[in-house]
Amino acid sequence: MRINCPYCGERDLGEFVYFGDPVPRPDPSAADAAQRFHDSVYLRDNPAGPHQELWYHAYGCRGWLRVTRDTRTHAMLGSAFASDPA
Amino acid sequence: MRYSLFALAREAFRSHRGWQPVWRDAAPRPHYDVIIVGGGGHGLATAYYLAERFGIRNVAVLEKGWIGSGNAGRNTTIIRSNYLLPGNQPFYELSMQLWESLEQQLNYNTMVSQRGVLNLFHSDAQRDAFARRGNAMLLSGADAELLDADDVRRMLPLLDFDNARFPIKGGLLQRRGGTARHDAVVWGYARGASELGVDIVQNCEVTGFVRDGDRVVGVETSRGRIGCGSVGLAVAGSSSRVAKMLGLRLPIESHLIQAFVSEGIKPLIPGVVTFGAGHFYISQSDKGGLVFGGDIDGYNSYAQRGNLPVIEDVCEGGMALMPSIGRVRILRNWAGLLDMSMDGSPIIDRAPIEGVYLNAGWCYGGFKATPASGLCFAHLIANGSSHPVATELRLDRFAAGHLIDEKGRGAQPNLH
Ligand SMILES: Cc1cc2nc3c(=O)[nH]c(=O)nc-3n(C[C@H](O)[C@H](O)[C@H](O)COP(=O)(O)OP(=O)(O)OC[C@H]3O[C@@H](n4cnc5c(N)ncnc54)[C@H](O)[C@@H]3O)c2cc1C
């Protein structure tokens, strides 16, 4: 598996660290905040197919990337800096 | 048909023409009291105990491929009860006890081999942690022994005892741990269940659920609609996909783990050994092949095949621990589809939908759990209440904050 870093180019998997789903932090002042935090910390869609996920380019530019990857084949479908608008 | 020395002798005299198929490959009937989805070890064990212990025999196991084609036939077959936390350890110790009598119970050779599981430690702090774990094991009724470096050297003279960075200071040994033959476990439970009337239905993928109001009353499958009183899900790495058909999201990510087997060599490793300074574990099969593995790959995957960085990492661990295996050639390597839970521990509970029960979250360690998982899941489905050793394996523990996190690593499945 190779990941296309928008800054460094296509690099070997060994340079990256996986974080997982890019779950946004819920609003702590929402009335149902406890439920929302539970859902965002613990529950996952875990799809078989295209999956959005965060990777950290630890042995490269040290940027956080948002990668789309097919979990059935490991095919890379796109990548961008996590800070870019989705 | 019972297996015995007499049966073997009789068949030898008639050229082995009298053997029967080990279990019945059934066609689905329109309705069952209980449907178990997933014909891995856990699904088949559940069906067996439903029939054997709880007298519920109108049961079907629906398997989308062949029984044992998932993790049940891909794992490295290690059985042990060396956990720390009270939510886990009594459950795994019950499983260990069930393994010890499984062959007599099933009248089937599951090749349970109590050759010992040794976890090496390499620092004083690690010794303290292992001593604590050993004490927790003893408290649960399991066996545990703390070995020093000389004890380890006597057992495994070919380890690298001169490693300056990771000196072997000793190990935590569970002599009752060991290995079992994974395919035989699948077939043994299938045979036991089938003889008690359970239908084992292969090539039957569950594609949806039939509801009557709030209750699930059947399943849609690739072989038609089948009605049921209740349904138990035991689909391991596919848990999220099946739960999605019910509109549920689970505290689970599907990951992959790889395993390796080498060419056969003379006896080298008596039991199971784990390296405490990296992630590497190894045993030797009866055929002589070294069976080994290490960390999970670490990213969500349904591919059932892994990537090279972990292969390199596993082999580095092996070379650090026992450089003597450096010239041994790897014959095969494969991967399976793991249901990694958010705290690294399993779930045996009702789903929040009437008539549905959930057995999931086995991570990379569910083979050893097969007997107890089947018994506890059957207990839950039959009695509507948790078995005494499985009361903490609840789905709502994440919301309640009662996590069972052996490693204390938090809600990051690839770190468990
Ligand atoms: C490489 C590797 C090494 C491992 N090593 C060990 C070890 O040494 N010790 C240990 O204790 N554990 C180990 N494990 C973990 C252990 O194998 C699993 O936790 C355990 O087998 C899971 O339970 P199971 O046997 O029921 O799963 P599976 O055998 O995966 O059964 C699930 C079944 O559900 C079926 N299914 C899925 N979706 C559907 C559907 N929609 N309809 C019908 N059927 C469906 C699948 O086809 C599959 O047969 C290892 C796993 C792997 C992959």
Side-chain angles (χ1 to χ4, degrees):
Chain A
M1 213 159 93
R2 289 159 72 88
I3 296 177
N4 195 7
C5 171
Y7 192 72
C8 309
E10 197 177 83
R11 304 297 278 264
D12 184 73
L13 174 63
E15 294 186 6
F16 297 84
V17 178
Y18 186 69
F19 178 79
D21 290 41
V23 270
R25 191 178 155 80
D27 173 6
S29 59
D32 57 349
Q35 183 65 39
R36 287 200 209 181
F37 269 92
H38 165 262
D39 294 358
S40 77
V41 172
Y42 294 115
L43 301 188
R44 296 288 177 266
D45 289 336
N46 191 20
H51 183 235
Q52 284 237 336
E53 55 202 28
L54 293 177
W55 290 83
Y56 176 56
H57 197 180
Y59 296 99
C61 62
R62 293 196 259 163
W64 280 93
L65 312 183
R66 190 188 317 103
V67 174
T68 311
R69 185 178 56 96
D70 192 322
T71 58
R72 292 166 303 186
T73 59
H74 300 162
M76 294 292 162
L77 306 176
S79 51
F81 286 120
S83 50
D84 289 351
Chain B
M1 170 183 223
R2 278 192 75 75
Y3 296 131
S4 64
L5 199 58
F6 171 72
L8 190 63
R10 186 189 60 212
E11 289 309 319
F13 280 113
R14 54 180 190 193
S15 305
H16 295 285
R17 276 191 294 257
W19 296 116
Q20 305 289 317
V22 171
W23 45 271
R24 202 168 34 86
D25 193 14
R29 285 187 276 131
H31 190 275
Y32 294 92
D33 292 343
V34 179
I35 285 177
I36 303 296
V37 186
H42 291 217
L44 292 163
T46 304
Y48 171 75
Y49 290 114
L50 274 173
E52 197 264 342
R53 293 267 174 119
F54 302 100
I56 301 178
R57 299 190 173 189
N58 184 16
V59 175
V61 177
L62 308 183
E63 163 55 49
K64 77 171 172 191
W66 309 105
I67 61 165
S69 59
N71 294 325
R74 292 165 189 262
N75 63 76
T76 42
T77 77
I78 297 166
I79 59 175
R80 55 188 170 89
S81 57
N82 59 358
Y83 286 72
L84 174 70
L85 298 178
N88 274 332
Q89 176 59 13
F91 170 84
Y92 287 103
E93 175 51 24
L94 172 66
S95 211
M96 197 67 235
Q97 290 169 12
L98 292 169
W99 282 114
E100 288 177 316
S101 57
L102 193 65
E103 287 161 353
Q104 290 72 27
Q105 172 80 20
L106 296 177
N107 176 238
Y108 200 79
N109 184 6
T110 49
M111 293 168 70
V112 174
S113 168
Q114 295 181 287
R115 51 183 76 181
V117 173
L118 177 66
N119 303 131
L120 298 172
F121 53 78
H122 309 269
S123 67
D124 293 345
Q126 207 172 17
R127 177 194 285 119
D128 290 347
F130 280 17
R132 180 178 175 220
R133 174 132 61 105
N135 285 332
M137 291 161 65
L138 293 174
L139 285 174
S140 77
D143 64 308
E145 282 168 56
L146 206 60
L147 305 187
D148 64 19
D150 286 339
D151 298 332
V152 174
R153 198 189 291 264
R154 274 192 291 277
M155 276 178 76
L156 293 151
L158 283 171
L159 301 187
D160 181 3
F161 289 91
D162 298 324
N163 190 323
R165 178 70 184 84
F166 304 117
I168 294 171
K169 297 217 160 191
L172 179 64
L173 174 65
Q174 181 175 32
R175 289 192 197 271
R176 287 162 63 241
T179 57
R181 176 71 205 173
H182 50 8
D183 300 321
V185 172
V186 169
W187 277 43
Y189 274 120
R191 172 171 173 265
S194 181
E195 278 180 354
L196 293 169
V198 170
D199 277 359
I200 295 166
V201 186
Q202 301 190 108
N203 296 310
C204 183
E205 177 170 2
V206 170
T207 53
F209 291 86
V210 186
R211 293 186 193 232
D212 180 8
D214 291 341
R215 209 187 152 81
V216 165
V217 294
V219 293
E220 301 285 358
T221 79
S222 53
R223 297 178 73 171
R225 176 180 287 203
I226 310 174
C228 64
S230 49
V231 54
L233 309 181
V235 291
S238 301
S239 296
S240 299
R241 298 181 77 180
V242 175
K244 192 178 174 203
M245 300 170 195
L246 291 161
L248 290 178
R249 292 170 83 219
L250 298 179
I252 285 175
E253 285 179 2
S254 294
H255 282 251
L256 72 93
I257 192 166
Q258 307 190 55
F260 308 81
V261 75
S262 80
E263 59 190 329
I265 57 172
K266 288 183 178 171
L268 176 71
I269 299 163
V272 180
V273 186
T274 71
F275 183 39
H279 204 148
F280 174 79
Y281 66 94
I282 188 164
S283 66
Q284 190 167 13
S285 77
D286 294 335
K287 282 190 289 186
L290 301 177
V291 181
F292 58 97
D295 252 331
I296 67 174
D297 267 44
Y299 43 83
N300 291 39
S301 175
Y302 286 87
Q304 296 199 105
R305 68 166 189 273
N307 273 287
L308 291 171
V310 162
I311 298 180
E312 191 177 12
D313 183 65
V314 169
C315 293
E316 281 171 357
M319 288 303 288
L321 179 65
M322 37 195 329
S324 56
I325 63 172
R327 292 291 178 94
V328 176
R329 279 165 295 191
I330 294 174
L331 281 191
R332 286 181 288 124
N333 134 263
W334 65 93
L337 174 50
L338 304 177
D339 36 341
M340 295 298 299
S341 71
M342 283 289 175
D343 62 358
S345 292
I347 297 158
I348 301 179
D349 201 358
R350 300 158 180 274
I353 296 167
E354 267 309 293
V356 184
Y357 299 87
L358 180 65
N359 173 309
W362 295 99
C363 302
Y364 44 79
F367 177 68
K368 70 175 91 69
T370 305
S373 167
L375 180 62
C376 294
F377 200 36
H379 183 287
L380 176 69
I381 294 170
N383 297 343
S385 62
S386 292
H387 186 283
V389 299
T391 52
E392 293 193 30
L393 307 180
R394 296 170 63 113
L395 179 59
D396 67 1
R397 68 174 183 263
F398 300 93
H402 295 153
L403 304 188
I404 312 174
D405 189 341
E406 289 275 336
K407 296 184 180 165
R409 289 202 166 147
Q412 186 69 26
N414 63 353
L415 297 183
H416 288 298

